[in-house]
Amino acid sequence: MSGDQILQLFAYLLPAVVTGVVAFYFFRLHTRNEEGRRRFLLHKDSQKDTLPIRLQAYERMVLFLERIALPSLVVRVSPKSTEKSTYENLLIKSIENEFDHNLSQQIYMTDECWNIIKAAKNATIQAIRKAGMSETDSADKLREDILNQSMEKQSPSTTALSFVKKEIADLW
């Protein structure tokens, strides 16, 4: 083979190689786009199935936070005796029961949100215990003290509730 023939062979092969490389590049780009589209559609379908469940979990936790807010808790749970410690324990037990009833909801929300809800629960229990340490001697007086204390500062439930609302807004 002479140099002229080799040059002519390269002249014929060069367009074929360039066409092959361009075809490979576009095929690869198309495959990636299709994979991304499939992944998006799969995510969209799973989101369609899980979003209602997640929203229901957030709804239940909002209800929990509303129920353990000190003013509504004290109004809803009335003392069964005149003893302050019995009423204090009844309030705390009511909060714990509500929380235990909603424990499974944590799998549908972020860890940060769940931790804030737990912190609100613990802060509410601590506020009840703090009010129970006062000089009061009856359950009715403890009720008054808790209500007065809740009017002086923002409830832990309110803070957690605003965070939950923000997180729900982020779901959209």
Side-chain angles (χ1 to χ4, degrees), residues 1-21:
M1 279 191 126
S2 70
D4 235 8
Q5 288 176 330
I6 293 176
L7 190 57
Q8 198 174 21
L9 183 65
F10 278 123
Y12 289 128
L13 283 178
L14 183 64
V17 169
V18 169
T19 304
V21 168

Side-chain angles (χ1 to χ4, degrees), residues 119-150:
K121 175 197 77 129
N122 292 335
T124 303
I125 290 173
Q126 195 164 15
I128 292 169
R129 287 197 172 123
K130 182 180 174 187
M133 288 184 201
S134 66
E135 299 289 323
T136 60
D137 55 350
S138 71
D140 289 328
K141 184 68 176 141
L142 177 62
R143 248 178 143 177
E144 272 183 48
D145 288 349
I146 291 172
L147 282 172
N148 289 335
Q149 180 183 351
S150 68

Side-chain angles (χ1 to χ4, degrees), residues 51-105:
L51 186 62
I53 295 169
R54 289 187 72 192
L55 285 175
Q56 186 179 27
Y58 283 109
E59 286 173 5
R60 286 186 62 179
M61 295 319 296
V62 165
L63 181 62
F64 166 74
L65 290 169
E66 288 292 341
R67 288 178 63 90
I68 70 165
L70 288 173
S72 66
L73 180 68
V74 170
V75 169
R76 189 172 34 83
V77 179
S78 57
K80 294 182 179 176
S81 73
T82 58
E83 287 186 41
K84 171 179 77 169
S85 63
T86 304
Y87 184 58
E88 180 183 340
N89 291 333
L90 181 65
L91 290 174
I92 292 170
K93 185 177 181 198
S94 176
I95 292 171
E96 292 291 348
N97 286 341
E98 286 276 340
F99 185 74
D100 290 345
H101 181 72
N102 291 301
L103 268 176
S104 64
Q105 303 310 311

Side-chain angles (χ1 to χ4, degrees), residues 148-163:
N148 289 335
Q149 180 183 351
S150 68
M151 289 184 190
E152 291 173 7
K153 62 180 182 175
Q154 187 177 15
S155 169
S157 295
T158 307
T159 306
L161 191 59
S162 65
F163 183 83

